[in-house]
Amino acid sequence: MLKFNKDNACFNFRSVAVIIHDNNVLLHKAKGDSHWALPGGRVEFFENSDITVQRELIEELGVDSIVKRHLWYVENFFEHSGKKFHEIANYFLVQLTEPNQLPNTESFYGIETEVHLEFKWFSLNGIAEAPIKPEFLQQSLLDLPSETMYIKVNDIEA
């Protein structure tokens, strides 16, 4: 995986799935986190970003998917658990081959044994108030771009 640590800093190269079904978007959060995020994972060496999304969805949920198109290229600077992160992420609009395979309950857990991820479908009607990171998604999920957009996020205090 493309993740590098140096002192109190970490670089991540991540791919992200934007999965919308029946006016709901699929989000997840790690155990102990207070915020939700879009599913995805770190890109492996010599792996294309769109393939990463498909692999991660199989690993995390056991579902097959189709990558429809690239939405955002995001440079994200943030702090998490006392560490500063520099993350490059490609966000893709993704369609599940069998969307009803996932529970439509309040929340459910992924199948990975090493990572405890809680998943939940959030209505797009209330996504602007959802505790989601990065925050640009609160508005951007409501108006998906027709062409790839470059987004810069800096949540690290100077």
Side-chain angles (χ1 to χ4, degrees), residues 105-124:
T105 57
E106 183 62 26
S107 66
F108 56 96
Y109 291 90
I111 61 173
E112 272 187 302
T113 55
E114 308 85 41
V115 182
H116 301 288
L117 293 175
E118 178 182 358
F119 290 82
K120 182 177 176 181
W121 291 101
F122 280 76
S123 170
L124 287 174

mmCIF file with all atom_site columns, all heavy atoms in Angstrom, residues 105-124:
data_model
loop_
_atom_site.group_PDB
_atom_site.id
_atom_site.type_symbol
_atom_site.label_atom_id
_atom_site.label_alt_id
_atom_site.label_comp_id
_atom_site.label_asym_id
_atom_site.label_entity_id
_atom_site.label_seq_id
_atom_site.pdbx_PDB_ins_code
_atom_site.Cartn_x
_atom_site.Cartn_y
_atom_site.Cartn_z
_atom_site.occupancy
_atom_site.B_iso_or_equiv
_atom_site.pdbx_formal_charge
_atom_site.auth_seq_id
_atom_site.auth_comp_id
_atom_site.auth_asym_id
_atom_site.auth_atom_id
_atom_site.pdbx_PDB_model_num
ATOM 1   N N   . THR A 1 105 ? -30.346 -1.505  6.666  1.00 0.00 ? 105 THR A N   1
ATOM 2   C CA  . THR A 1 105 ? -30.689 -1.313  8.069  1.00 0.00 ? 105 THR A CA  1
ATOM 3   C C   . THR A 1 105 ? -30.020 -0.049  8.589  1.00 0.00 ? 105 THR A C   1
ATOM 4   O O   . THR A 1 105 ? -29.348 0.657   7.844  1.00 0.00 ? 105 THR A O   1
ATOM 5   C CB  . THR A 1 105 ? -30.212 -2.524  8.892  1.00 0.00 ? 105 THR A CB  1
ATOM 6   O OG1 . THR A 1 105 ? -28.802 -2.671  8.696  1.00 0.00 ? 105 THR A OG1 1
ATOM 7   C CG2 . THR A 1 105 ? -30.921 -3.799  8.465  1.00 0.00 ? 105 THR A CG2 1
ATOM 8   N N   . GLU A 1 106 ? -30.160 0.190   9.878  1.00 0.00 ? 106 GLU A N   1
ATOM 9   C CA  . GLU A 1 106 ? -29.556 1.382   10.480 1.00 0.00 ? 106 GLU A CA  1
ATOM 10  C C   . GLU A 1 106 ? -28.055 1.428   10.209 1.00 0.00 ? 106 GLU A C   1
ATOM 11  O O   . GLU A 1 106 ? -27.539 2.404   9.729  1.00 0.00 ? 106 GLU A O   1
ATOM 12  C CB  . GLU A 1 106 ? -29.835 1.396   11.985 1.00 0.00 ? 106 GLU A CB  1
ATOM 13  C CG  . GLU A 1 106 ? -29.326 2.620   12.709 1.00 0.00 ? 106 GLU A CG  1
ATOM 14  C CD  . GLU A 1 106 ? -29.953 3.923   12.252 1.00 0.00 ? 106 GLU A CD  1
ATOM 15  O OE1 . GLU A 1 106 ? -31.091 3.895   11.749 1.00 0.00 ? 106 GLU A OE1 1
ATOM 16  O OE2 . GLU A 1 106 ? -29.295 4.966   12.388 1.00 0.00 ? 106 GLU A OE2 1
ATOM 17  N N   . SER A 1 107 ? -27.342 0.358   10.513 1.00 0.00 ? 107 SER A N   1
ATOM 18  C CA  . SER A 1 107 ? -25.925 0.260   10.182 1.00 0.00 ? 107 SER A CA  1
ATOM 19  C C   . SER A 1 107 ? -25.535 -1.212  10.163 1.00 0.00 ? 107 SER A C   1
ATOM 20  O O   . SER A 1 107 ? -26.244 -2.062  10.683 1.00 0.00 ? 107 SER A O   1
ATOM 21  C CB  . SER A 1 107 ? -25.058 1.046   11.179 1.00 0.00 ? 107 SER A CB  1
ATOM 22  O OG  . SER A 1 107 ? -25.119 0.459   12.457 1.00 0.00 ? 107 SER A OG  1
ATOM 23  N N   . PHE A 1 108 ? -24.390 -1.496  9.549  1.00 0.00 ? 108 PHE A N   1
ATOM 24  C CA  . PHE A 1 108 ? -23.906 -2.872  9.455  1.00 0.00 ? 108 PHE A CA  1
ATOM 25  C C   . PHE A 1 108 ? -22.390 -2.842  9.407  1.00 0.00 ? 108 PHE A C   1
ATOM 26  O O   . PHE A 1 108 ? -21.786 -1.792  9.186  1.00 0.00 ? 108 PHE A O   1
ATOM 27  C CB  . PHE A 1 108 ? -24.505 -3.598  8.242  1.00 0.00 ? 108 PHE A CB  1
ATOM 28  C CG  . PHE A 1 108 ? -24.265 -2.919  6.923  1.00 0.00 ? 108 PHE A CG  1
ATOM 29  C CD1 . PHE A 1 108 ? -23.209 -3.299  6.107  1.00 0.00 ? 108 PHE A CD1 1
ATOM 30  C CD2 . PHE A 1 108 ? -25.094 -1.885  6.486  1.00 0.00 ? 108 PHE A CD2 1
ATOM 31  C CE1 . PHE A 1 108 ? -22.971 -2.675  4.894  1.00 0.00 ? 108 PHE A CE1 1
ATOM 32  C CE2 . PHE A 1 108 ? -24.869 -1.258  5.269  1.00 0.00 ? 108 PHE A CE2 1
ATOM 33  C CZ  . PHE A 1 108 ? -23.809 -1.657  4.463  1.00 0.00 ? 108 PHE A CZ  1
ATOM 34  N N   . TYR A 1 109 ? -21.771 -3.988  9.612  1.00 0.00 ? 109 TYR A N   1
ATOM 35  C CA  . TYR A 1 109 ? -20.319 -4.051  9.703  1.00 0.00 ? 109 TYR A CA  1
ATOM 36  C C   . TYR A 1 109 ? -19.721 -4.743  8.488  1.00 0.00 ? 109 TYR A C   1
ATOM 37  O O   . TYR A 1 109 ? -20.335 -5.631  7.898  1.00 0.00 ? 109 TYR A O   1
ATOM 38  C CB  . TYR A 1 109 ? -19.893 -4.750  10.998 1.00 0.00 ? 109 TYR A CB  1
ATOM 39  C CG  . TYR A 1 109 ? -20.229 -3.893  12.192 1.00 0.00 ? 109 TYR A CG  1
ATOM 40  C CD1 . TYR A 1 109 ? -21.457 -4.019  12.831 1.00 0.00 ? 109 TYR A CD1 1
ATOM 41  C CD2 . TYR A 1 109 ? -19.343 -2.916  12.638 1.00 0.00 ? 109 TYR A CD2 1
ATOM 42  C CE1 . TYR A 1 109 ? -21.785 -3.191  13.895 1.00 0.00 ? 109 TYR A CE1 1
ATOM 43  C CE2 . TYR A 1 109 ? -19.665 -2.092  13.699 1.00 0.00 ? 109 TYR A CE2 1
ATOM 44  C CZ  . TYR A 1 109 ? -20.893 -2.233  14.326 1.00 0.00 ? 109 TYR A CZ  1
ATOM 45  O OH  . TYR A 1 109 ? -21.220 -1.405  15.371 1.00 0.00 ? 109 TYR A OH  1
ATOM 46  N N   . GLY A 1 110 ? -18.517 -4.301  8.138  1.00 0.00 ? 110 GLY A N   1
ATOM 47  C CA  . GLY A 1 110 ? -17.795 -4.892  7.028  1.00 0.00 ? 110 GLY A CA  1
ATOM 48  C C   . GLY A 1 110 ? -17.290 -6.281  7.394  1.00 0.00 ? 110 GLY A C   1
ATOM 49  O O   . GLY A 1 110 ? -17.374 -6.711  8.551  1.00 0.00 ? 110 GLY A O   1
ATOM 50  N N   . ILE A 1 111 ? -16.721 -6.952  6.395  1.00 0.00 ? 111 ILE A N   1
ATOM 51  C CA  . ILE A 1 111 ? -16.299 -8.339  6.581  1.00 0.00 ? 111 ILE A CA  1
ATOM 52  C C   . ILE A 1 111 ? -14.809 -8.478  6.867  1.00 0.00 ? 111 ILE A C   1
ATOM 53  O O   . ILE A 1 111 ? -14.349 -9.558  7.193  1.00 0.00 ? 111 ILE A O   1
ATOM 54  C CB  . ILE A 1 111 ? -16.678 -9.206  5.363  1.00 0.00 ? 111 ILE A CB  1
ATOM 55  C CG1 . ILE A 1 111 ? -15.988 -8.701  4.086  1.00 0.00 ? 111 ILE A CG1 1
ATOM 56  C CG2 . ILE A 1 111 ? -18.187 -9.251  5.197  1.00 0.00 ? 111 ILE A CG2 1
ATOM 57  C CD1 . ILE A 1 111 ? -16.174 -9.600  2.876  1.00 0.00 ? 111 ILE A CD1 1
ATOM 58  N N   . GLU A 1 112 ? -14.050 -7.400  6.753  1.00 0.00 ? 112 GLU A N   1
ATOM 59  C CA  . GLU A 1 112 ? -12.607 -7.471  7.035  1.00 0.00 ? 112 GLU A CA  1
ATOM 60  C C   . GLU A 1 112 ? -12.386 -7.759  8.509  1.00 0.00 ? 112 GLU A C   1
ATOM 61  O O   . GLU A 1 112 ? -13.023 -7.145  9.371  1.00 0.00 ? 112 GLU A O   1
ATOM 62  C CB  . GLU A 1 112 ? -11.916 -6.143  6.691  1.00 0.00 ? 112 GLU A CB  1
ATOM 63  C CG  . GLU A 1 112 ? -11.458 -6.033  5.277  1.00 0.00 ? 112 GLU A CG  1
ATOM 64  C CD  . GLU A 1 112 ? -10.647 -4.776  5.045  1.00 0.00 ? 112 GLU A CD  1
ATOM 65  O OE1 . GLU A 1 112 ? -11.168 -3.677  5.287  1.00 0.00 ? 112 GLU A OE1 1
ATOM 66  O OE2 . GLU A 1 112 ? -9.494  -4.906  4.609  1.00 0.00 ? 112 GLU A OE2 1
ATOM 67  N N   . THR A 1 113 ? -11.484 -8.674  8.798  1.00 0.00 ? 113 THR A N   1
ATOM 68  C CA  . THR A 1 113 ? -11.238 -9.018  10.194 1.00 0.00 ? 113 THR A CA  1
ATOM 69  C C   . THR A 1 113 ? -10.212 -8.098  10.854 1.00 0.00 ? 113 THR A C   1
ATOM 70  O O   . THR A 1 113 ? -10.272 -7.878  12.056 1.00 0.00 ? 113 THR A O   1
ATOM 71  C CB  . THR A 1 113 ? -10.770 -10.484 10.311 1.00 0.00 ? 113 THR A CB  1
ATOM 72  O OG1 . THR A 1 113 ? -9.628  -10.681 9.465  1.00 0.00 ? 113 THR A OG1 1
ATOM 73  C CG2 . THR A 1 113 ? -11.877 -11.443 9.918  1.00 0.00 ? 113 THR A CG2 1
ATOM 74  N N   . GLU A 1 114 ? -9.287  -7.526  10.080 1.00 0.00 ? 114 GLU A N   1
ATOM 75  C CA  . GLU A 1 114 ? -8.249  -6.666  10.654 1.00 0.00 ? 114 GLU A CA  1
ATOM 76  C C   . GLU A 1 114 ? -8.748  -5.251  10.932 1.00 0.00 ? 114 GLU A C   1
ATOM 77  O O   . GLU A 1 114 ? -8.183  -4.533  11.743 1.00 0.00 ? 114 GLU A O   1
ATOM 78  C CB  . GLU A 1 114 ? -7.031  -6.549  9.718  1.00 0.00 ? 114 GLU A CB  1
ATOM 79  C CG  . GLU A 1 114 ? -6.449  -7.851  9.231  1.00 0.00 ? 114 GLU A CG  1
ATOM 80  C CD  . GLU A 1 114 ? -7.152  -8.391  7.997  1.00 0.00 ? 114 GLU A CD  1
ATOM 81  O OE1 . GLU A 1 114 ? -7.483  -7.615  7.101  1.00 0.00 ? 114 GLU A OE1 1
ATOM 82  O OE2 . GLU A 1 114 ? -7.388  -9.600  7.959  1.00 0.00 ? 114 GLU A OE2 1
ATOM 83  N N   . VAL A 1 115 ? -9.781  -4.822  10.214 1.00 0.00 ? 115 VAL A N   1
ATOM 84  C CA  . VAL A 1 115 ? -10.296 -3.459  10.336 1.00 0.00 ? 115 VAL A CA  1
ATOM 85  C C   . VAL A 1 115 ? -11.776 -3.544  10.692 1.00 0.00 ? 115 VAL A C   1
ATOM 86  O O   . VAL A 1 115 ? -12.536 -4.250  10.048 1.00 0.00 ? 115 VAL A O   1
ATOM 87  C CB  . VAL A 1 115 ? -10.128 -2.695  9.005  1.00 0.00 ? 115 VAL A CB  1
ATOM 88  C CG1 . VAL A 1 115 ? -10.623 -1.267  9.136  1.00 0.00 ? 115 VAL A CG1 1
ATOM 89  C CG2 . VAL A 1 115 ? -8.681  -2.714  8.544  1.00 0.00 ? 115 VAL A CG2 1
ATOM 90  N N   . HIS A 1 116 ? -12.170 -2.827  11.744 1.00 0.00 ? 116 HIS A N   1
ATOM 91  C CA  . HIS A 1 116 ? -13.570 -2.842  12.170 1.00 0.00 ? 116 HIS A CA  1
ATOM 92  C C   . HIS A 1 116 ? -14.263 -1.602  11.625 1.00 0.00 ? 116 HIS A C   1
ATOM 93  O O   . HIS A 1 116 ? -14.150 -0.518  12.190 1.00 0.00 ? 116 HIS A O   1
ATOM 94  C CB  . HIS A 1 116 ? -13.664 -2.902  13.689 1.00 0.00 ? 116 HIS A CB  1
ATOM 95  C CG  . HIS A 1 116 ? -12.992 -4.118  14.251 1.00 0.00 ? 116 HIS A CG  1
ATOM 96  N ND1 . HIS A 1 116 ? -13.515 -5.376  14.112 1.00 0.00 ? 116 HIS A ND1 1
ATOM 97  C CD2 . HIS A 1 116 ? -11.830 -4.265  14.921 1.00 0.00 ? 116 HIS A CD2 1
ATOM 98  C CE1 . HIS A 1 116 ? -12.723 -6.256  14.684 1.00 0.00 ? 116 HIS A CE1 1
ATOM 99  N NE2 . HIS A 1 116 ? -11.676 -5.604  15.177 1.00 0.00 ? 116 HIS A NE2 1
ATOM 100 N N   . LEU A 1 117 ? -14.956 -1.767  10.497 1.00 0.00 ? 117 LEU A N   1
ATOM 101 C CA  . LEU A 1 117 ? -15.641 -0.656  9.846  1.00 0.00 ? 117 LEU A CA  1
ATOM 102 C C   . LEU A 1 117 ? -17.150 -0.827  9.962  1.00 0.00 ? 117 LEU A C   1
ATOM 103 O O   . LEU A 1 117 ? -17.692 -1.891  9.673  1.00 0.00 ? 117 LEU A O   1
ATOM 104 C CB  . LEU A 1 117 ? -15.260 -0.585  8.367  1.00 0.00 ? 117 LEU A CB  1
ATOM 105 C CG  . LEU A 1 117 ? -13.812 -0.228  8.053  1.00 0.00 ? 117 LEU A CG  1
ATOM 106 C CD1 . LEU A 1 117 ? -13.548 -0.326  6.562  1.00 0.00 ? 117 LEU A CD1 1
ATOM 107 C CD2 . LEU A 1 117 ? -13.468 1.164   8.571  1.00 0.00 ? 117 LEU A CD2 1
ATOM 108 N N   . GLU A 1 118 ? -17.790 0.249   10.370 1.00 0.00 ? 118 GLU A N   1
ATOM 109 C CA  . GLU A 1 118 ? -19.253 0.301   10.432 1.00 0.00 ? 118 GLU A CA  1
ATOM 110 C C   . GLU A 1 118 ? -19.729 1.045   9.188  1.00 0.00 ? 118 GLU A C   1
ATOM 111 O O   . GLU A 1 118 ? -19.222 2.120   8.870  1.00 0.00 ? 118 GLU A O   1
ATOM 112 C CB  . GLU A 1 118 ? -19.691 1.038   11.697 1.00 0.00 ? 118 GLU A CB  1
ATOM 113 C CG  . GLU A 1 118 ? -21.188 1.181   11.826 1.00 0.00 ? 118 GLU A CG  1
ATOM 114 C CD  . GLU A 1 118 ? -21.591 1.958   13.074 1.00 0.00 ? 118 GLU A CD  1
ATOM 115 O OE1 . GLU A 1 118 ? -20.701 2.359   13.862 1.00 0.00 ? 118 GLU A OE1 1
ATOM 116 O OE2 . GLU A 1 118 ? -22.797 2.174   13.248 1.00 0.00 ? 118 GLU A OE2 1
ATOM 117 N N   . PHE A 1 119 ? -20.705 0.490   8.488  1.00 0.00 ? 119 PHE A N   1
ATOM 118 C CA  . PHE A 1 119 ? -21.254 1.090   7.274  1.00 0.00 ? 119 PHE A CA  1
ATOM 119 C C   . PHE A 1 119 ? -22.689 1.516   7.510  1.00 0.00 ? 119 PHE A C   1
ATOM 120 O O   . PHE A 1 119 ? -23.402 0.918   8.319  1.00 0.00 ? 119 PHE A O   1
ATOM 121 C CB  . PHE A 1 119 ? -21.217 0.085   6.113  1.00 0.00 ? 119 PHE A CB  1
ATOM 122 C CG  . PHE A 1 119 ? -19.836 -0.205  5.612  1.00 0.00 ? 119 PHE A CG  1
ATOM 123 C CD1 . PHE A 1 119 ? -19.030 -1.130  6.254  1.00 0.00 ? 119 PHE A CD1 1
ATOM 124 C CD2 . PHE A 1 119 ? -19.326 0.455   4.507  1.00 0.00 ? 119 PHE A CD2 1
ATOM 125 C CE1 . PHE A 1 119 ? -17.745 -1.409  5.806  1.00 0.00 ? 119 PHE A CE1 1
ATOM 126 C CE2 . PHE A 1 119 ? -18.048 0.198   4.044  1.00 0.00 ? 119 PHE A CE2 1
ATOM 127 C CZ  . PHE A 1 119 ? -17.261 -0.733  4.698  1.00 0.00 ? 119 PHE A CZ  1
ATOM 128 N N   . LYS A 1 120 ? -23.101 2.548   6.770  1.00 0.00 ? 120 LYS A N   1
ATOM 129 C CA  . LYS A 1 120 ? -24.476 3.032   6.895  1.00 0.00 ? 120 LYS A CA  1
ATOM 130 C C   . LYS A 1 120 ? -24.851 3.803   5.628  1.00 0.00 ? 120 LYS A C   1
ATOM 131 O O   . LYS A 1 120 ? -24.026 4.527   5.074  1.00 0.00 ? 120 LYS A O   1
ATOM 132 C CB  . LYS A 1 120 ? -24.590 3.949   8.115  1.00 0.00 ? 120 LYS A CB  1
ATOM 133 C CG  . LYS A 1 120 ? -25.976 4.470   8.388  1.00 0.00 ? 120 LYS A CG  1
ATOM 134 C CD  . LYS A 1 120 ? -25.983 5.309   9.659  1.00 0.00 ? 120 LYS A CD  1
ATOM 135 C CE  . LYS A 1 120 ? -27.329 5.930   9.899  1.00 0.00 ? 120 LYS A CE  1
ATOM 136 N NZ  . LYS A 1 120 ? -27.347 6.762   11.107 1.00 0.00 ? 120 LYS A NZ  1
ATOM 137 N N   . TRP A 1 121 ? -26.081 3.610   5.172  1.00 0.00 ? 121 TRP A N   1
ATOM 138 C CA  . TRP A 1 121 ? -26.620 4.406   4.069  1.00 0.00 ? 121 TRP A CA  1
ATOM 139 C C   . TRP A 1 121 ? -27.160 5.706   4.655  1.00 0.00 ? 121 TRP A C   1
ATOM 140 O O   . TRP A 1 121 ? -27.957 5.693   5.586  1.00 0.00 ? 121 TRP A O   1
ATOM 141 C CB  . TRP A 1 121 ? -27.747 3.663   3.359  1.00 0.00 ? 121 TRP A CB  1
ATOM 142 C CG  . TRP A 1 121 ? -27.302 2.466   2.581  1.00 0.00 ? 121 TRP A CG  1
ATOM 143 C CD1 . TRP A 1 121 ? -27.391 1.166   2.968  1.00 0.00 ? 121 TRP A CD1 1
ATOM 144 C CD2 . TRP A 1 121 ? -26.721 2.460   1.277  1.00 0.00 ? 121 TRP A CD2 1
ATOM 145 N NE1 . TRP A 1 121 ? -26.891 0.342   1.983  1.00 0.00 ? 121 TRP A NE1 1
ATOM 146 C CE2 . TRP A 1 121 ? -26.472 1.112   0.922  1.00 0.00 ? 121 TRP A CE2 1
ATOM 147 C CE3 . TRP A 1 121 ? -26.372 3.456   0.364  1.00 0.00 ? 121 TRP A CE3 1
ATOM 148 C CZ2 . TRP A 1 121 ? -25.907 0.737   -0.287 1.00 0.00 ? 121 TRP A CZ2 1
ATOM 149 C CZ3 . TRP A 1 121 ? -25.809 3.087   -0.845 1.00 0.00 ? 121 TRP A CZ3 1
ATOM 150 C CH2 . TRP A 1 121 ? -25.584 1.746   -1.167 1.00 0.00 ? 121 TRP A CH2 1
ATOM 151 N N   . PHE A 1 122 ? -26.731 6.830   4.121  1.00 0.00 ? 122 PHE A N   1
ATOM 152 C CA  . PHE A 1 122 ? -27.210 8.148   4.541  1.00 0.00 ? 122 PHE A CA  1
ATOM 153 C C   . PHE A 1 122 ? -28.055 8.747   3.429  1.00 0.00 ? 122 PHE A C   1
ATOM 154 O O   . PHE A 1 122 ? -27.641 8.748   2.263  1.00 0.00 ? 122 PHE A O   1
ATOM 155 C CB  . PHE A 1 122 ? -26.036 9.100   4.825  1.00 0.00 ? 122 PHE A CB  1
ATOM 156 C CG  . PHE A 1 122 ? -25.388 8.899   6.161  1.00 0.00 ? 122 PHE A CG  1
ATOM 157 C CD1 . PHE A 1 122 ? -24.540 7.823   6.385  1.00 0.00 ? 122 PHE A CD1 1
ATOM 158 C CD2 . PHE A 1 122 ? -25.618 9.793   7.186  1.00 0.00 ? 122 PHE A CD2 1
ATOM 159 C CE1 . PHE A 1 122 ? -23.929 7.639   7.606  1.00 0.00 ? 122 PHE A CE1 1
ATOM 160 C CE2 . PHE A 1 122 ? -25.008 9.628   8.421  1.00 0.00 ? 122 PHE A CE2 1
ATOM 161 C CZ  . PHE A 1 122 ? -24.167 8.544   8.638  1.00 0.00 ? 122 PHE A CZ  1
ATOM 162 N N   . SER A 1 123 ? -29.194 9.291   3.786  1.00 0.00 ? 123 SER A N   1
ATOM 163 C CA  . SER A 1 123 ? -30.036 9.965   2.802  1.00 0.00 ? 123 SER A CA  1
ATOM 164 C C   . SER A 1 123 ? -29.331 11.224  2.299  1.00 0.00 ? 123 SER A C   1
ATOM 165 O O   . SER A 1 123 ? -28.795 12.005  3.096  1.00 0.00 ? 123 SER A O   1
ATOM 166 C CB  . SER A 1 123 ? -31.383 10.348  3.424  1.00 0.00 ? 123 SER A CB  1
ATOM 167 O OG  . SER A 1 123 ? -32.097 11.182  2.544  1.00 0.00 ? 123 SER A OG  1
ATOM 168 N N   . LEU A 1 124 ? -29.345 11.419  1.004  1.00 0.00 ? 124 LEU A N   1
ATOM 169 C CA  . LEU A 1 124 ? -28.758 12.642  0.448  1.00 0.00 ? 124 LEU A CA  1
ATOM 170 C C   . LEU A 1 124 ? -29.535 13.871  0.891  1.00 0.00 ? 124 LEU A C   1
ATOM 171 O O   . LEU A 1 124 ? -28.995 14.976  0.916  1.00 0.00 ? 124 LEU A O   1
ATOM 172 C CB  . LEU A 1 124 ? -28.702 12.557  -1.079 1.00 0.00 ? 124 LEU A CB  1
ATOM 173 C CG  . LEU A 1 124 ? -27.644 11.614  -1.634 1.00 0.00 ? 124 LEU A CG  1
ATOM 174 C CD1 . LEU A 1 124 ? -27.771 11.483  -3.145 1.00 0.00 ? 124 LEU A CD1 1
ATOM 175 C CD2 . LEU A 1 124 ? -26.247 12.065  -1.261 1.00 0.00 ? 124 LEU A CD2 1
#
